[in-house]
Amino acid sequence: MSDDEIRQPLEETPEVADAIEDDVAVDAFITGGGADRDTPEFLQPGEEPVVRTGADQPWDPEDLAVAEGRDPTPENVERARQELERDGAAAIERTVP
């Protein structure tokens, strides 16, 4: 670009203006999405909340080894198997809360 050539700032281009004007709400995101901060759902007195954790699903030793950032080598898989056998869900909760 030469010194004489002045480029229009990107924010002022017609393409950006068109993109901004096209910024409309999507109905699927506005209604029917369940509870949120504008429409909270309250528990009845004494009712316990349903809490789902990573240990709510079955885990293979290979999955635990990979979730811990290790390669699924036979040694790492065996270590993860022993950890699952010894600690059960706690082994998963430490890694994937």
Side-chain angles (χ1 to χ4, degrees), residues 16-78:
V16 171
D18 290 343
I20 292 170
E21 287 178 20
D22 191 35
D23 187 24
V24 295
V26 177
D27 292 338
F29 295 135
I30 296 175
T31 61
D36 59 23
R37 70 182 211 176
D38 295 327
T39 56
E41 292 180 4
F42 297 99
L43 298 176
Q44 295 300 318
E47 187 179 357
E48 294 292 322
V50 177
V51 178
R52 185 173 184 278
T53 67
D56 288 344
Q57 59 194 11
W59 280 74
D60 293 328
E62 294 86 0
D63 296 331
L64 181 58
V66 171
E68 292 176 335
R70 295 181 168 94
D71 291 329
T73 62
E75 296 82 18
N76 289 335
V77 170
E78 178 59 22

